[in-house]
Coordinates of all heavy atoms in Angstrom, one line a residue:
T1 N -13.4 16.4 12.3 CA -13.7 15.6 13.4 C -12.5 15.1 14.2 O -12.6 14.5 15.3 CB -14.5 14.3 13.0 OG1 -13.7 13.4 12.3 CG2 -15.7 14.7 12.2
A2 N -11.3 15.3 13.7 CA -10.0 14.8 14.3 C -9.6 15.7 15.4 O -9.8 16.9 15.4 CB -8.9 14.7 13.2
S3 N -8.9 15.1 16.4 CA -8.3 15.8 17.5 C -7.1 16.6 16.9 O -6.9 17.7 17.4 CB -7.8 14.9 18.6 OG -8.9 14.0 19.0
R4 N -6.4 16.0 16.0 CA -5.3 16.7 15.4 C -5.2 16.3 13.9 O -5.2 15.1 13.6 CB -4.0 16.3 16.1 CG -2.7 17.0 15.6 CD -2.5 18.4 16.2 NE -1.4 19.1 15.6 CZ -0.2 18.9 16.0 NH1 0.2 18.1 16.9 NH2 0.8 19.7 15.4
A5 N -5.3 17.2 13.0 CA -5.3 17.0 11.6 C -4.0 17.6 11.0 O -3.8 18.8 11.2 CB -6.5 17.6 10.9
L6 N -3.3 16.8 10.2 CA -2.0 17.2 9.6 C -2.0 16.9 8.1 O -2.5 15.8 7.7 CB -0.9 16.5 10.3 CG -0.8 16.5 11.8 CD1 0.3 15.6 12.4 CD2 -0.5 18.0 12.3
V7 N -1.5 17.8 7.4 CA -1.3 17.6 5.9 C 0.2 17.6 5.6 O 0.8 18.6 5.9 CB -2.0 18.6 5.1 CG1 -1.9 18.4 3.6 CG2 -3.5 18.6 5.5
L8 N 0.7 16.5 5.1 CA 2.1 16.5 4.7 C 2.3 17.3 3.4 O 1.7 17.1 2.4 CB 2.6 15.1 4.5 CG 2.4 14.1 5.6 CD1 3.0 12.8 5.3 CD2 3.0 14.6 6.9
H9 N 3.2 18.3 3.5 CA 3.4 19.2 2.4 C 4.8 19.7 2.4 O 5.3 20.2 3.4 CB 2.4 20.4 2.4 CG 2.2 21.1 1.1 ND1 3.0 22.1 0.6 CD2 1.3 20.9 0.1 CE1 2.6 22.5 -0.6 NE2 1.6 21.8 -0.9
E10 N 5.5 19.7 1.2 CA 6.9 20.0 1.1 C 7.2 21.5 1.4 O 8.3 21.8 1.9 CB 7.4 19.7 -0.3 CG 6.7 20.4 -1.4 CD 7.2 20.0 -2.8 OE1 8.2 20.5 -3.3 OE2 6.5 19.1 -3.3
S11 N 6.2 22.4 1.2 CA 6.4 23.8 1.5 C 6.0 24.3 2.9 O 6.0 25.5 3.2 CB 5.7 24.7 0.4 OG 4.3 24.5 0.5
A12 N 5.6 23.3 3.7 CA 5.1 23.7 5.1 C 6.3 24.2 5.9 O 7.4 23.8 5.7 CB 4.5 22.4 5.8
V13 N 6.0 25.2 6.8 CA 7.0 25.8 7.6 C 7.3 25.0 8.8 O 8.4 24.8 9.3 CB 6.5 27.2 8.0 CG1 7.5 27.8 9.0 CG2 6.3 28.1 6.8
H14 N 6.2 24.4 9.4 CA 6.4 23.7 10.7 C 6.7 22.2 10.5 O 6.1 21.5 9.6 CB 5.1 23.8 11.5 CG 4.7 25.2 11.8 ND1 5.4 26.0 12.7 CD2 3.7 26.0 11.3 CE1 4.9 27.2 12.8 NE2 3.8 27.2 11.9
P15 N 7.6 21.6 11.3 CA 7.9 20.2 11.2 C 6.7 19.4 11.9 O 5.9 20.0 12.7 CB 9.2 20.0 12.0 CG 9.1 21.2 13.0 CD 8.4 22.3 12.3
L16 N 6.6 18.1 11.6 CA 5.6 17.3 12.2 C 6.0 17.0 13.7 O 7.0 16.5 14.0 CB 5.5 16.0 11.4 CG 4.3 15.1 11.8 CD1 4.1 14.1 10.7 CD2 4.5 14.3 13.1
T17 N 5.1 17.4 14.6 CA 5.2 17.2 16.0 C 3.9 16.8 16.6 O 2.9 17.4 16.2 CB 5.8 18.4 16.8 OG1 5.0 19.5 16.6 CG2 7.2 18.7 16.2
V18 N 3.9 15.9 17.5 CA 2.7 15.5 18.2 C 3.0 15.4 19.7 O 3.8 14.5 20.0 CB 2.0 14.2 17.7 CG1 0.8 13.8 18.5 CG2 1.6 14.4 16.2
D19 N 2.4 16.2 20.5 CA 2.7 16.1 22.0 C 2.1 14.8 22.5 O 0.9 14.6 22.4 CB 2.1 17.3 22.7 CG 2.4 17.3 24.2 OD1 3.6 17.6 24.6 OD2 1.5 17.0 24.9
A20 N 2.9 14.1 23.2 CA 2.5 12.8 23.7 C 1.4 12.9 24.7 O 0.4 12.1 24.7 CB 3.7 12.1 24.4
A21 N 1.4 13.9 25.6 CA 0.4 14.0 26.6 C -0.9 14.5 26.0 O -2.0 13.9 26.3 CB 0.8 15.0 27.7
A22 N -0.8 15.4 25.0 CA -2.0 15.9 24.4 C -2.7 14.9 23.5 O -3.9 14.8 23.3 CB -1.7 17.2 23.6
A23 N -1.9 14.0 22.9 CA -2.4 13.0 22.0 C -3.0 11.8 22.7 O -3.7 11.0 22.0 CB -1.2 12.5 21.1
S24 N -2.8 11.6 24.0 CA -3.3 10.4 24.7 C -4.8 10.4 24.6 O -5.5 11.4 25.0 CB -2.8 10.4 26.1 OG -3.4 9.3 26.8
G25 N -5.4 9.3 24.1 CA -6.8 9.2 24.0 C -7.4 9.9 22.8 O -8.6 10.0 22.7
Q26 N -6.6 10.5 22.0 CA -7.1 11.3 20.9 C -6.9 10.6 19.5 O -6.4 9.5 19.5 CB -6.4 12.7 20.9 CG -6.5 13.4 22.2 CD -7.9 13.8 22.5 OE1 -8.6 14.4 21.7 NE2 -8.3 13.5 23.7
E27 N -7.3 11.3 18.5 CA -7.1 10.8 17.1 C -6.3 11.7 16.3 O -6.6 12.9 16.2 CB -8.5 10.6 16.5 CG -8.5 10.0 15.1 CD -9.9 9.8 14.5 OE1 -10.5 10.9 14.1 OE2 -10.3 8.7 14.5
V28 N -5.3 11.2 15.6 CA -4.5 12.0 14.7 C -4.7 11.5 13.3 O -4.6 10.4 13.0 CB -3.0 11.9 15.0 CG1 -2.2 12.7 14.1 CG2 -2.7 12.3 16.5
V29 N -5.1 12.5 12.4 CA -5.4 12.2 11.0 C -4.3 12.8 10.2 O -4.0 14.0 10.3 CB -6.8 12.6 10.5 CG1 -7.0 12.3 9.1 CG2 -7.8 12.0 11.4
V30 N -3.6 12.1 9.3 CA -2.6 12.6 8.4 C -3.0 12.4 7.0 O -3.4 11.3 6.6 CB -1.2 11.8 8.7 CG1 -0.1 12.3 7.8 CG2 -0.8 11.9 10.1
V31 N -2.8 13.5 6.2 CA -3.2 13.4 4.8 C -1.9 13.3 4.0 O -0.9 14.1 4.1 CB -3.9 14.7 4.3 CG1 -4.2 14.6 2.8 CG2 -5.2 14.8 5.1
V32 N -1.8 12.3 3.1 CA -0.7 12.1 2.2 C -1.2 12.3 0.7 O -2.1 11.7 0.3 CB -0.2 10.6 2.3 CG1 1.0 10.4 1.4 CG2 0.2 10.4 3.8
G33 N -0.5 13.2 0.1 CA -0.9 13.6 -1.3 C -0.4 12.6 -2.3 O 0.4 11.7 -2.1
P34 N -0.8 12.8 -3.6 CA -0.4 12.0 -4.7 C 1.0 12.3 -5.2 O 1.6 13.3 -4.7 CB -1.5 12.2 -5.8 CG -1.8 13.7 -5.5 CD -1.7 13.9 -4.0
E35 N 1.4 11.6 -6.3 CA 2.8 11.9 -6.8 C 2.9 13.3 -7.3 O 4.0 13.9 -7.2 CB 3.0 10.9 -8.0 CG 3.1 9.5 -7.6 CD 1.8 8.8 -7.9 OE1 0.7 9.4 -7.7 OE2 1.8 7.6 -8.2
G36 N 1.8 13.9 -7.9 CA 1.9 15.2 -8.4 C 1.7 16.3 -7.3 O 1.7 17.5 -7.7
G37 N 1.5 15.9 -6.1 CA 1.4 16.9 -5.0 C -0.1 17.3 -4.8 O -1.0 17.0 -5.6
I38 N -0.3 17.9 -3.7 CA -1.6 18.4 -3.3 C -1.9 19.7 -4.0 O -1.1 20.6 -3.9 CB -1.8 18.5 -1.8 CG1 -1.6 17.2 -1.1 CG2 -3.1 19.1 -1.4 CD1 -1.5 17.2 0.4
A39 N -3.0 19.8 -4.7 CA -3.4 21.1 -5.4 C -3.7 22.2 -4.4 O -4.1 21.9 -3.2 CB -4.6 20.8 -6.3
D40 N -3.5 23.4 -4.8 CA -3.7 24.6 -3.9 C -5.1 24.6 -3.4 O -5.3 24.9 -2.2 CB -3.4 25.9 -4.7 CG -1.9 26.0 -5.0 OD1 -1.1 25.4 -4.4 OD2 -1.6 26.9 -5.9
D41 N -6.1 24.3 -4.2 CA -7.5 24.4 -3.7 C -7.8 23.3 -2.7 O -8.5 23.4 -1.7 CB -8.5 24.3 -4.8 CG -8.4 23.0 -5.7 OD1 -7.3 22.4 -5.7 OD2 -9.4 22.6 -6.3
E42 N -7.1 22.1 -2.8 CA -7.3 21.0 -1.9 C -6.6 21.4 -0.6 O -7.2 21.2 0.5 CB -6.6 19.8 -2.4 CG -7.3 19.2 -3.6 CD -6.6 18.1 -4.3 OE1 -5.3 18.1 -4.2 OE2 -7.2 17.2 -5.0
L43 N -5.4 22.0 -0.6 CA -4.7 22.4 0.6 C -5.5 23.5 1.3 O -5.6 23.5 2.5 CB -3.3 23.0 0.2 CG -2.4 23.3 1.4 CD1 -2.1 22.0 2.1 CD2 -1.1 23.9 0.9
A44 N -6.1 24.4 0.6 CA -7.0 25.4 1.2 C -8.2 24.8 1.9 O -8.6 25.2 3.0 CB -7.4 26.4 0.1
A45 N -8.8 23.8 1.2 CA -10.0 23.2 1.8 C -9.6 22.5 3.1 O -10.3 22.5 4.1 CB -10.6 22.2 0.8
F46 N -8.4 21.8 3.1 CA -8.0 21.1 4.3 C -7.6 22.1 5.5 O -7.9 21.9 6.6 CB -6.8 20.2 4.0 CG -7.1 19.2 3.0 CD1 -6.1 18.6 2.3 CD2 -8.4 18.7 2.8 CE1 -6.4 17.6 1.3 CE2 -8.7 17.7 1.9 CZ -7.7 17.2 1.2

């Protein structure tokens, strides 16, 4: 349901960026994993 959905992950290729114009009036959802990291099946579901 989010306008922009982001998952913080150490192996991600892309840096976190949010365009100011595109984000205006929108909703950004960020997922933060546990100490042991996000499991592969969870990352795939997201």
